[in-house]
Amino acid sequence: MKLGIIGAGPGGYEAALYAAQRGIEVTLFEKQFVGGTCLNLGCIPTKTILASTELYSHIEEASQFGIKVEGAEISWEQVQQRMLKTVAQLRKGVEFLLKKRGVRFINAEAFYLGDHRIEAGGQTYEFDNVIIATGSRPAELPGLATDKKWIINSNHFFTRKELPKRALVVGTGAIGLELSDILRAFGTELTVVELVPQVMPLLDSDASSNYARILSKKGIKFIVGNSVKTIEHKEDHLKVTLTNDQELEVDQIVVGVGRTPNSEVIKTDKVQTERGKIKVNNSLVTSEEGTYAIGDVAIPPVSRGALAHVASHEGIFAVKHILGEANEMDWHAVPWVVFTDPPLAAIGQTEKEASQAGLAVKTYTLPYRALGAAVAKNRTEGFCKFIVEADTGRILGVQMAGVGADLIINEMAVVLQQNMTVKELSEVIHAHPTLSEVAKESAFALLGYPINTM
């Protein structure tokens, strides 16, 4: 069996590695670097830099832990060099695995011609099945066209030789917030504008307010319900006017919102698209049998985020479907994380979504200050909100911000995947003192018997 995969991002390369181990002859096409946006221009660069900024913030607070530190400084140049080395190391690791597993790698721009045929480098290749995993790129927004100097996007951010003294970040999704946290840590005077009337539109309004309060205390200024109306270029800065007529003077605008699917690789009418994305069914099959689309470039019947781990899971699922070992994808328990300090994490339905679906819900929000581990770590800024079906106690969703949220959300993924109730969660023994006790404490509170809170 021959499988062709276009795109070597997380979805494409993990599908290739898995398929090769299952005895499938795999050819992987990629026009740039293995790892895609995630490894080269997104997840890994961002988290590598954030690891440095988080450590620096801990050093600044060292005196609160009885530790004396003098003269600590953070260097963008050195942090950037460490980031580049990390990316190169991981990219080489993926390349090694592909070679070791016998995946044929073709470093050329590829196009899908239909009938399981892929054209690349002037040659046409035929396969039994094809997976399209070409991902997405930063969108060009009206009035905010990037020029790589005054107006940049996430792709340009990591190659900057220096960071601006004053910046306007557009968007409070994951990209906008993570880049904002990096800029703040390096001393940039920062304003973040968001079109909708709350920070992080995917949250319930109360969770959004709690999260925005935490970040505002760190020096990030939010202006919600607004967008950029006009931009006037001065000699050495930009004069920006928002839709509320507020004026700002900044050295750079960072666009952190919007992605465009890389669906231009489709050169056949046999594969249908919708709003620029490739239409797939619940099995990730396109309108042409035997041809799959995964990750950011695909639009399945169920809404799910444009996330690297979703693409990876879908890629492996597609291989299983090809082998006849899987039927339909299940997207009801997809966790997502914003790696600010502290991180934000969520999974499942929001309170609003559950109510709109006709479910009677009850909620509970536990403050981090109720956790002994959070107090011991001096990390009491945080919260955890549970959304639960009122009559059954089934856990529908979790939204949380605080140290360790990026890890705890994976326990919540198991909870939602197994359709657990708060009673069942309360019966799970959690180690003490740990941050994950937020789950146990919330479960008991939802049952009406709070232990460490009133």
Side-chain angles (χ1 to χ4, degrees):
M1 183 184 296
K2 294 183 179 181
L3 171 64
I5 302 175
I6 305 177
Y13 85 71
E14 290 201 13
L17 291 172
Y18 180 72
Q21 292 181 89
R22 297 302 308 274
I24 298 175
E25 184 180 325
V26 184
T27 302
L28 179 63
F29 299 87
E30 171 57 53
K31 67 177 181 179
Q32 292 180 309
F33 305 113
V34 296
T37 295
C38 177
L39 196 159
N40 297 284
L41 295 167
C43 314
I44 298 302
T46 309
K47 280 57 179 181
T48 304
I49 295 172
L50 286 167
S52 293
T53 60
E54 183 180 359
L55 178 58
Y56 182 59
S57 71
H58 290 183
I59 292 172
E60 290 186 308
E61 299 169 359
S63 61
Q64 299 176 36
F65 293 83
I67 302 171
K68 185 178 180 180
V69 178
E70 294 181 356
E73 296 180 351
I74 186 168
S75 163
W76 170 248
E77 181 181 359
Q78 291 179 26
V79 169
Q80 191 179 47
Q81 287 302 313
R82 177 178 177 270
M83 177 269 292
L84 293 172
K85 288 179 181 178
T86 301
V87 169
Q89 176 185 339
L90 291 173
R91 190 165 58 225
K92 287 179 181 178
V94 175
E95 291 170 348
F96 170 80
L97 287 173
L98 291 170
K99 184 177 181 180
K100 199 72 173 177
R101 300 267 168 83
V103 175
R104 182 186 186 189
F105 181 69
I106 296 179
N107 197 185
E109 186 171 17
F111 299 95
Y112 184 60
L113 308 179
D115 298 319
H116 305 161
R117 295 176 299 131
I118 295 174
E119 189 276 325
Q123 295 187 47
T124 300
Y125 304 82
E126 295 186 1
F127 302 96
D128 299 300
N129 297 96
V130 168
I131 297 175
I132 301 166
T134 47
S136 64
R137 62 187 183 275
E140 289 288 331
L141 301 182
L144 287 170
T146 57
D147 57 15
K148 299 184 181 182
K149 180 182 178 182
W150 299 104
I151 304 176
I152 66 171
N153 59 37
S154 56
N155 278 8
H156 311 136
F157 185 89
F158 304 108
T159 59
R160 311 307 297 172
K161 290 185 178 180
E162 58 183 29
L163 297 178
K165 293 181 179 179
R166 302 169 298 175
L168 174 66
V169 175
V170 179
T172 63
I175 296 171
L177 290 171
E178 290 178 0
L179 296 183
S180 295
D181 206 33
I182 290 172
L183 288 166
R184 174 210 57 79
F186 281 93
T188 298
E189 182 184 321
L190 195 64
T191 302
V192 185
V193 65
E194 170 59 56
L195 180 62
V196 303
Q198 72 173 49
V199 173
M200 178 45 74
L202 297 178
L203 296 176
D204 284 320
S205 59
D206 56 341
S208 168
S209 296
N210 285 333
Y211 181 53
R213 176 183 54 79
I214 295 170
L215 295 184
S216 295
K217 283 185 176 180
K218 299 173 64 179
I220 299 178
K221 180 182 178 182
F222 293 104
I223 302 176
V224 297
N226 267 274
S227 60
V228 174
K229 184 166 69 174
T230 62
I231 300 171
E232 186 178 348
H233 287 260
K234 300 295 185 178
E235 185 176 345
D236 60 352
H237 68 277
L238 299 173
K239 181 181 178 181
V240 180
T241 303
L242 304 181
T243 49
N244 66 352
D245 292 327
Q246 182 174 348
E247 295 182 349
L248 303 169
E249 289 189 351
V250 299
D251 303 308
Q252 198 167 71
I253 297 174
V254 181
V255 181
V257 63
R259 304 286 299 178
T260 297
N262 296 322
S263 56
E264 298 86 354
V265 299
I266 303 299
K267 300 298 180 182
T268 174
D269 293 334
K270 293 186 176 183
V271 174
Q272 297 177 3
T273 61
E274 179 181 320
R275 301 194 303 275
K277 292 191 173 186
I278 301 171
K279 290 181 66 176
V280 296
N281 61 19
N282 287 329
S283 300
L284 302 172
V285 180
T286 68
S287 52
E288 181 183 60
E289 193 66 30
T291 300
Y292 299 75
I294 64 171
D296 293 9
V297 77
I299 180 168
V302 178
S303 177
R304 66 4 174 193
L307 302 162
H309 48 278
V310 169
S312 297
H313 193 83
E314 289 178 349
I316 292 172
F317 173 91
V319 175
K320 289 180 179 179
H321 191 269
I322 289 170
L323 295 171
E325 298 175 358
N327 187 20
E328 292 188 348
M329 269 287 299
D330 178 4
W331 288 284
H332 92 278
V334 175
W336 55 269
V337 180
V338 181
F339 291 89
T340 49
D341 181 17
L344 169 72
I347 190 170
Q349 293 176 294
T350 64
E351 181 181 356
K352 182 178 180 181
E353 288 169 343
S355 298
Q356 289 176 341
L359 298 175
V361 301
K362 61 179 179 179
T363 67
Y364 177 75
T365 300
L366 181 85
Y368 255 51
R369 62 178 177 272
L371 300 171
V375 176
K377 294 174 182 290
N378 196 33
R379 291 289 182 270
T380 55
E381 285 285 359
F383 65 90
C384 182
K385 177 181 179 180
F386 271 72
I387 300 99
V388 174
E389 190 173 17
D391 55 346
T392 66
R394 181 168 61 96
I395 299 167
L396 302 173
V398 179
Q399 300 171 41
M400 64 185 302
V403 60
D406 53 327
L407 302 176
I408 299 167
I409 203 64
N410 290 311
E411 178 185 355
M412 297 302 102
V414 177
V415 167
L416 263 71
Q417 188 69 36
Q418 298 302 314
N419 295 307
M420 288 177 64
T421 65
V422 289
K423 182 178 184 301
E424 290 170 330
L425 182 57
S426 73
E427 294 168 352
V428 176
I429 299 175
H430 287 76
H432 174 78
T434 61
L435 297 167
S436 61
E437 287 178 285
V438 70
K440 182 199 77 172
E441 294 289 346
S442 297
F444 274 101
L446 283 159
L447 290 171
Y449 309 107
I451 305 300
N452 291 293
T453 56
M454 296 298 294

